Amino acid sequence: MMRVLLIAGLVLSVLLACGMGAMHIPLLRVVAILLYKLHLHLPISFTESEANVLWQIRLPRVCMGVMVGGSLAMAGAAIQGLFRNPLADPGLVGISAGAALFAVLCIVVFSGVSYYWMNVATFLGAVLSALLVFRLSRSGGSTHMATLLLAGLGINALCNALTGLITYMANNDQLRSVTFWTMGSLGGATWATVAALLPFVVVPVLLLPRLAKWLNAFALGEAAAAHLGIPVKRLKAGVMLLATLLVGACVAVSGIIGFVGLIVPHILRSASGSDHRALLPNSFLLGASLLTLSDVLSRTLIAPAELPLGIVTAILGTPLFIGMLMKQKRQLNTWAS
Amino acid sequence: MMTIDYVSCKAGNRHILHSISATLGAAQVHVLLGPNGAGKSTLLRVLSGEVLPGEGLVLFNKQNIHSRPAAKLALERAVLTQQYAVNLPFTVREVVMMGRYPHFSRQPSARDQELVTETMQALQLGHLAMRHFHTLSGGEQQRVQLARVLVQLRHVDQPHLQGKYLLLDEPTASMDLLHQQLCLGYVQQLAAKGLTVIIVLHDLNLAAQFANNILLLAKGRIWASGRPGEVLQASTIAAVYGMQVSVLLHPDYGFPIILPMQQGLPVEE
């Protein structure tokens, strides 16, 4: 039921996002143009330029929004499951900052590297910082939450400082590109970007739900999960790798977009529970919808200029996040009394 | 049947377990007793397969448990440890169902659902099924976790529990009087179906009431073992715990009852 609703929501968001922008394309025409590309001819007329705008500009951007939003949300849900904490987030544990550092390094120091290699480098940055945080927060075979957050904080600070240093050395053009990374945008979307991102998204999105049952048992703690016969080390390595793959690839094409990975799983947990078998796919669907809609806002609010997407999600996400904290605090107070 | 053969464990240079040997029969409740730091929890972690002993072997039905694949071991032994902090909002029923995870690949069968319902009812958890685990009291949480490890050991189609063993580390520490009796009574019934049960307890009277066999540990060695009446004697308890006690006999059931003397003052050495 939940799944059907979320799929319907995503389809609606995509159609809406395809129609809205500098050139408004009515909903029915959007459907007609999309079906026309599939050689289904509806008795609805549209202009050549509408078809071009939709197919060349808007649709790649919407596809990227779906992939990035879905990936960030699903990676968030998986990482929260792994760290057994609903407040863990790819951003909080340093993955995004590491990725951005390597991206900025590519832009400024090794300017001129191809888009493909930049993708690879950004991904490496994500993996390295994630591994470092994970490594630092473990002692005696178990991960400690407090140490983890502190390690994430430390690595974040280090990466941000280095990113700042490199930014300081950048020239004007490079500075514009750097700004793109730190504020997040889907503006660079083309079919080529979509194709480059696709494998990084499809593989983890298919594999992560296979770990869902294990992630549920992991909520009991590492020892208890091991007693249930779960290969704990493989699970941890698998989730870290797949989540880092997702987040690293997304940051590479869209820069840092915060709060999606934190808010989306949280909304779904309070609506339909923590079972990762439902939570992981549902997070993808809701994250995709929300980011697609946020991107519509980022394109239309101050048109013809664009608001950076990361700023839109932060402005929308922060009040939600604080609201959730307050609710949790109230619950804690009721249990205590 | 479980055979513990000259098991030793070290942390650094300090011996935590020192040449422990014992034979623990099936269909019985074995209780590990001993003061803090005696090595009870470490022994339990060795028996669960979690810790590889420095020396010695643990055999269950003639198989070395430390060379069993984890997935196989999960079908024949279940472990209840002392602490479970579940920070994600899982319901009580979801937590108990996790005990069935080794038995199905994607979705639980109707039989898995039945076993969960049955065990939850036996431990009076039916009314808590839809509550979130982390909102329960400590004693309720212990009952939920006990239900989870009990469903882990159930056969899909057979009522007996032969060839399986259960390890419980202070399962009743936070429970009220009624639920202590209810839970240990239920575990005792399961032992009668062939299950080998090994429980760490601190309450000597619960041990006296429910144990078929007691292993009394002190400083990493087995100080005494045998039936409750043999092990729980005033002189033994004074030597191991440093505490003067009187041992009475239950007027109806005949098991020992241990009462402290000297109002909490330790024995002069």
Side-chain angles (χ1 to χ4, degrees):
Chain A
M1 190 56 216
M2 191 72 182
R3 187 70 54 83
V4 176
L5 238 109
L6 289 170
I7 292 175
L10 179 57
V11 171
L12 212 68
S13 314
V14 165
L15 291 178
L16 204 72
C18 283
M20 288 177 76
M23 176 194 267
H24 179 74
I25 309 172
L27 201 62
L28 281 175
R29 289 194 193 180
V30 170
V31 176
I33 296 169
L34 292 178
L35 290 177
Y36 184 80
K37 292 285 178 187
L38 299 170
H39 305 289
L40 286 167
H41 301 265
L42 293 191
I44 300 168
S45 63
F46 52 84
T47 65
E48 186 78 3
S49 61
E50 279 175 339
N52 280 338
V53 164
L54 178 62
W55 195 254
Q56 298 302 332
I57 299 171
R58 239 168 250 170
L59 200 57
R61 185 163 180 157
V62 170
C63 284
M64 200 153 99
V66 167
M67 286 197 286
V68 170
S71 299
L72 291 176
M74 191 190 244
I79 284 202
Q80 286 148 20
L82 184 68
F83 292 122
R84 310 172 53 220
N85 189 311
L87 295 182
D89 169 88
L92 289 180
V93 297
I95 298 179
S96 318
L101 171 63
F102 274 57
V104 171
L105 208 63
C106 281
I107 295 171
V108 179
V109 182
F110 305 103
S111 51
V113 294
S114 72
Y115 188 74
Y116 177 77
W117 284 110
M118 191 155 139
N119 232 317
V120 172
T122 311
F123 174 64
L124 276 180
V127 174
L128 280 180
S129 61
L131 272 182
L132 206 60
V133 169
F134 200 50
R135 213 61 233 158
L136 284 173
S137 61
R138 286 163 55 79
S139 69
S142 59
T143 310
H144 295 274
M145 269 321 293
T147 327
L148 176 97
L149 287 176
L150 289 176
L153 209 68
I155 297 300
N156 263 333
L158 181 67
C159 288
N160 289 340
L162 292 175
T163 306
L165 184 68
I166 297 166
T167 311
Y168 183 71
M169 292 161 23
N171 62 32
N172 267 348
D173 280 349
Q174 291 167 338
L175 218 51
R176 279 196 69 80
S177 304
V178 168
T179 314
F180 157 81
W181 291 103
T182 42
M183 290 190 189
S185 165
L186 297 176
T190 60
W191 284 119
T193 341
V194 170
L197 183 61
L198 197 64
F200 289 96
V201 172
V202 169
V203 173
V205 164
L206 290 180
L207 291 182
L208 268 179
R210 287 164 176 265
L211 302 175
K213 203 181 79 171
W214 289 358
L215 271 180
N216 284 351
F218 205 74
L220 298 168
E222 286 190 34
H227 292 148
L228 284 167
I230 288 161
V232 171
K233 281 181 185 161
R234 248 173 60 202
L235 174 67
K236 284 194 285 197
V239 172
M240 281 305 279
L241 181 76
L242 294 172
T244 306
L245 204 64
L246 282 173
V247 176
C250 288
V251 177
V253 298
S254 66
I256 294 179
I257 297 172
F259 279 102
V260 178
L262 191 60
I263 302 277
V264 170
H266 216 107
I267 294 172
L268 286 169
R269 268 194 216 96
S270 45
S272 57
S274 291
D275 190 334
H276 292 91
R277 285 170 292 185
L279 182 66
L280 293 178
N282 287 350
S283 290
F284 187 92
L285 293 171
L286 186 60
S289 305
L290 288 187
L291 199 70
T292 308
L293 293 177
S294 300
D295 187 47
V296 170
L297 289 181
S298 105
R299 287 191 281 123
T300 54
L301 275 183
I302 54 164
E306 270 191 30
L307 270 177
L309 184 55
I311 291 179
V312 176
T313 58
I315 288 175
L316 293 178
T318 315
L320 259 172
F321 184 65
I322 291 171
M324 283 174 341
L325 282 184
M326 300 303 277
K327 197 177 142 205
Q328 240 173 24
K329 209 172 71 179
R330 269 200 303 279
Q331 276 176 343
L332 280 174
N333 286 341
T334 2
W335 303 332
S337 58
Chain B
M1 188 178 75
M2 175 175 279
T3 312
I4 305 169
D5 212 15
Y6 291 102
V7 164
S8 294
C9 266
K10 273 184 176 179
N13 277 331
R14 202 168 56 89
H15 266 98
I16 298 178
L17 295 175
H18 213 106
S19 293
I20 303 272
S21 288
T23 304
L24 307 177
Q28 288 196 326
V29 176
H30 307 273
V31 172
L32 300 180
L33 289 178
N36 293 335
K40 306 180 296 289
S41 293
T42 306
L43 180 56
L44 216 62
R45 290 174 68 196
V46 169
L47 301 185
S48 73
E50 192 181 329
V51 170
L52 189 66
E55 289 165 47
L57 277 182
V58 180
L59 303 176
F60 184 67
N61 290 337
K62 295 177 185 154
Q63 284 181 311
N64 184 349
I65 62 151
H66 291 98
S67 54
R68 297 283 282 160
K72 287 247 169 59
L73 199 56
L75 296 172
E76 57 201 35
R77 79 88 184 79
V79 189
L80 183 72
T81 56
Q82 279 186 46
Q83 282 197 341
Y84 291 100
V86 178
N87 298 321
L88 300 173
F90 280 99
T91 66
V92 164
R93 195 179 168 90
E94 283 173 330
V95 170
V96 177
M97 183 54 87
M98 288 176 194
R100 294 304 292 173
Y101 277 8
H103 299 265
F104 62 83
S105 69
R106 272 165 191 260
Q107 294 300 326
S109 68
R111 182 66 185 141
D112 291 321
Q113 299 281 7
E114 247 171 60
L115 287 171
V116 165
T117 305
E118 195 184 303
T119 308
M120 285 178 63
Q121 266 160 11
L123 297 184
Q124 298 186 353
L125 289 168
H127 64 291
L128 298 175
M130 300 319 287
R131 283 272 298 276
H132 281 149
F133 178 80
H134 63 267
T135 65
L136 301 183
S137 74
E140 288 168 336
Q141 290 191 347
Q142 278 190 324
R143 246 153 71 218
V144 174
Q145 294 293 350
L146 182 63
R148 177 179 66 80
V149 300
L150 293 180
V151 294
Q152 186 186 341
L153 293 177
R154 298 292 298 273
H155 276 292
V156 176
D157 50 0
Q158 292 164 348
H160 78 75
L161 288 164
Q162 265 145 26
K164 308 204 168 198
Y165 69 100
L166 174 65
L167 304 172
L168 306 173
D169 196 352
E170 295 187 47
T172 55
S174 316
M175 291 184 193
D176 60 38
L177 182 65
L178 169 72
H179 289 108
Q180 286 185 341
Q181 295 289 321
L182 178 85
C183 287
L184 290 179
Y186 188 63
V187 168
Q188 200 173 37
Q189 282 176 31
L190 295 180
K193 294 178 182 173
L195 185 66
T196 307
V197 181
I198 301 159
I199 315 180
V200 169
L201 283 178
H202 269 304
D203 186 331
L204 301 183
N205 289 315
L206 282 176
Q209 185 187 352
F210 288 99
N212 300 106
N213 177 38
I214 289 179
L215 298 180
L216 179 58
L217 268 66
K219 293 175 185 157
R221 296 168 193 269
I222 295 183
W223 188 280
S225 68
R227 288 185 295 108
E230 297 162 0
V231 176
L232 296 176
Q233 293 182 358
S235 57
T236 316
I237 292 169
V240 171
Y241 287 91
M243 185 74 208
Q244 219 46 267
V245 298
S246 318
V247 178
L248 315 175
L249 288 183
H250 192 287
D252 298 329
Y253 302 104
F255 55 75
I257 296 172
I258 293 91
L259 289 176
M261 290 165 65
Q262 302 170 312
Q263 301 178 341
L265 289 176
V267 182
E268 295 282 332
E269 297 243 340

